[in-house]
Each structure stands twice: as C-alpha cells, then as structure tokens.
Amino acid sequence: MSPPPPPALTQTPPTPVNPRKLLDPVSELDHNQFWIFGYGSLIFKPPSSVAQAVPGYISGYVRRFWQQSHDHRGTPDKPGRVVTLIEREFWKTLGDSEAEFSSTDASNRDARTWGVAYRIKTEDVPAVASALDLREQNGYTIHLVPFYPASSSLIQPIPSIVYIGTPDNPAFAGVEHPDTVARIIHESIGPSGLNKDYLYKLGEALEKLHPESDLDHHVNGLIRRVKELEKQKELEKQKQNGHDANN
C-alpha cells in the first residue's frame, strides 16, 4: 500500500532572514570567534581550517530530509534528499506523520537538534566561506542561531552561523511520508555519491557524537526503512538469479 500524499502547507512559511553570503554578518560575529553549526553532512565531512570542533545542539528546529539535492546526492532530473531545518512552531502546523515522536518538551528526544559547531581559523574565514557557499548553494541561506555546547564546562551559548533550506526555497520538497523519502534516498545518486551513504554516514556520526544525539527518530527511522529496501532488493536479485539458473 503506497503512502498517502503529503498534506499541503496549512500556513505561509515564516519569512526567512534575507539571503546573504557567509561573510555578510560582520556586525553580528567576531571573526576571531567565527563559528559554523553543522547538522547534516558537515558533521561527517567538516569544513577545512577548523580551529575547534564542539559537539552540542540548537533548539527551536526540527531536522528533516525534506530538501531536494540536485547537485550532490541526486541530479536535476532525479533529485535526492538531504537534511534541512524547519522552525518548530511552523513545523507543528504541517501535519508531519512523525509529529507524535517530537514535542516541545526539553526532555523529548527530538527537542534538540544535535550537531557540531566549528570555529574557523580567522585567517581562513574568507576561503572557507567561499567553499561553503558553493557547497550549500542548492537552496540554502545563512542564519544566526545560539549553539549550546554539550560540555558542562562551556555553559554560555555560542552565536553560530547555520545553513538552512527554508520552506520557501525552490528545492524544499515539502512534507513527505518517511516511506516516500526512504524510497527516494534508496534510489538516488549524484556527483557526491549514493544518497543512502549520506544517510548512513549521518546516522553513524550522530551515534558517536553524544549519548543523546543518536535519538533522532526521523534519521533512525529512515535508516531502518532504507536498509529494509536494500534487503528486499537483494532478495529479489537472488530470486531472479535462481530463476535464471533453473532455465
């Protein structure tokens, strides 16, 4: 039985921060303390010239594989799926089938989006900025968020830049059933490799990051679904090979 079609957006997406390049928020950040928060591929494929890497989380967002990838894990004709962040208050209006596993309760498994914040070496900020703007060009814009380090020795939040594919960007796929997302990830490939490898590497990175960081129901559920699709494909292949051998 095929999954139901995704529900239409019930509200207008929140107005995003004006799109800007990484070096634009000069007045907001001290370039001697220039931090970038990674919640997707930046966790397992960090930027260059990192002076410090700190595991931790941000609040007020939900991580979802709802961003189309035309240039890395898919193609323009067959885009893959990669993660973006959805503002939690807006996400609650979308009718996500996984909403029952997420709440605003700070103790809930999905209340925090775990990742890694990277402090970039001051002298290399322009080069790293240019590389990341190119890497994240497919629908992502720059936002400033408070990042909370996991270490108890670092109590104060760190102002950090983050790339987000907001719901009004052309590559935003919208609300999709996890079965649909899993099928797309299982089938997609792009210049950066198999879409499923992106998913698996993210899951592995979150598992190693922090005792709480591997409790992302959405990511773990997709891994389980894609691996099941792989098993089904292998069984079909074995069945076909047995059929051919008997003919």
Side-chain angles (χ1 to χ4, degrees), residues 43 63 114 202-210 213-214 219:
I43 301 178
R63 174 170 36 210
W114 285 86
L202 176 58
E204 292 171 359
L206 289 174
E207 184 177 0
K208 298 175 182 177
L209 191 62
H210 187 271
S213 62
D214 68 337
V219 174

Side-chain angles (χ1 to χ4, degrees), residues 64-68 82 86 91 94 96 171-176:
R64 289 292 182 266
F65 270 82
W66 291 352
Q67 182 77 357
Q68 297 179 5
V82 291
I86 315 296
W91 164 81
L94 301 181
D96 184 358
F172 185 68
V175 182
E176 294 182 310

